Amino acid sequence: MPLFGFLISIAAALTGVGGGIFIVPLLTLFYSFEPVMAVGTSLATIVITSLASSANYLKQKRVYVKAGLVLACATAPGGYIGAAITAVPVVKMWLGVIFGVFLILVAFQMVYKALSTRPIKASVMVDPAFERELLGNWRKMLQGLCLSFFGGMASGLLGIGGGVVLVPVMCYALDIPIQFSIPTSMFIMIFTSIFGVANHVQLGNVNAVYAVYLGVGSVIGAQVGAYVSRRLSSKSLSFVFAAMLILASVNMILKYA
């Protein structure tokens, strides 16, 4: 389990998706977990992964902290509500399929945008002036908050961490470059996954032992993923993230269709 946690968290920290798209199938297929138990345990592991990777990204000065905290105000309650409706199988099935199709479209859009724009080195740091301007644009932030709420709901409902929605929201709705969207997504995921886990714990859907086993490996893997991310350009990160979206979408469509 620590080895699985290590490998999954590398991909999670590198792309900002949290790792739930791998953890949930892993627990259900290889460890015979019930789906709701796998989702709750996945979110518990994501708490550890997001904390570990955010610590590294904050050192790199690639996290828009203030903007992330504002968006977390929407993703956190969304994660709690999403966890609360896991007991409604019909809702979960339809949302899973719709979400899967949506992610495929987003993946192709990200590839198209990456091919049509100049690559930016990931070694650059956050721009405080850009963040102040963004926070002052209430229309753009309101749009980001609404979309982030659904990202949080998807996280709590499907156990995927929310980054598959948060990163595109920040890239397209808020115009935050992907080399900052991914680190900020991992930072926001700390709050989203904690709120989602809180509800799953109340429902008895978290296996703490397995979450710790996965978390032990994820602490190290998250550092590797954050380090590799720093070495990639914006175009390369977009391609890697798009590939992760396609994997997530295929997994959801097969699971819920």
Side-chain angles (χ1 to χ4, degrees):
M1 293 299 287
L3 177 59
F4 281 130
F6 171 76
L7 296 173
I8 291 171
S9 65
I10 292 176
L14 178 61
T15 58
V17 300
I21 59 172
F22 299 113
I23 297 173
V24 173
L26 171 72
L27 294 177
T28 54
L29 296 176
F30 295 100
Y31 292 91
S32 302
F33 273 52
E34 291 294 324
V36 290
M37 183 68 73
V39 169
T41 305
S42 170
L43 279 176
T45 306
I46 290 170
V47 173
I48 301 172
T49 305
S50 56
L51 282 168
S53 58
S54 293
N56 196 313
Y57 280 131
L58 285 166
K59 286 183 180 179
Q60 297 179 20
K61 296 183 179 180
R62 290 172 57 200
V63 178
Y64 280 112
V65 176
K66 294 178 181 178
L69 289 173
V70 172
L71 294 177
C73 292
T75 61
Y80 190 87
I81 293 172
I85 60 176
T86 51
V88 186
V90 175
V91 174
K92 190 171 183 177
M93 179 187 70
W94 281 106
L95 283 179
V97 174
I98 294 170
F99 202 58
V101 174
F102 168 73
L103 292 184
I104 292 178
L105 298 176
V106 172
F108 282 107
Q109 174 63 23
M110 293 203 80
V111 170
Y112 173 78
K113 185 176 180 180
L115 290 173
S116 59
T117 56
R118 288 179 55 191
I120 303 172
K121 292 183 179 180
S123 57
V124 296
M125 297 184 292
V126 294
D127 180 5
F130 170 82
E131 186 174 40
R132 285 194 299 271
E133 183 180 348
L134 175 62
L135 292 173
N137 190 332
W138 66 269
R139 290 183 179 178
K140 186 175 286 189
M141 288 305 300
L142 181 60
Q143 183 182 13
L145 284 167
C146 292
L147 293 171
S148 296
F149 174 80
F150 289 105
M153 185 180 291
S155 171
L157 180 66
L158 306 174
I160 57 175
V164 290
V165 174
L166 285 173
V167 173
V169 164
M170 285 186 280
C171 284
Y172 297 116
L174 303 180
D175 297 321
I176 299 177
I178 193 168
Q179 66 266 32
F180 303 118
S181 295
I182 287 174
T184 305
S185 170
M186 294 304 298
F187 176 69
I188 296 171
M189 216 172 294
I190 296 172
F191 309 97
T192 310
S193 51
I194 286 175
F195 270 73
V197 165
N199 203 324
H200 277 292
V201 169
Q202 294 175 9
L203 297 171
N205 294 338
V206 176
N207 187 316
V209 175
Y210 276 75
V212 170
Y213 282 149
L214 286 165
V216 168
S218 73
V219 170
I220 303 172
Q223 307 308 310
V224 176
Y227 175 81
V228 174
S229 174
R230 187 177 177 83
R231 296 291 183 270
L232 298 178
S233 68
S234 58
K235 181 175 288 189
S236 298
L237 282 173
S238 295
F239 290 151
V240 173
F241 184 78
M244 193 67 67
L245 284 185
I246 293 173
L247 282 175
S249 62
V250 171
N251 175 51
M252 287 182 198
I253 293 171
L254 292 177
K255 184 177 180 180
Y256 297 110

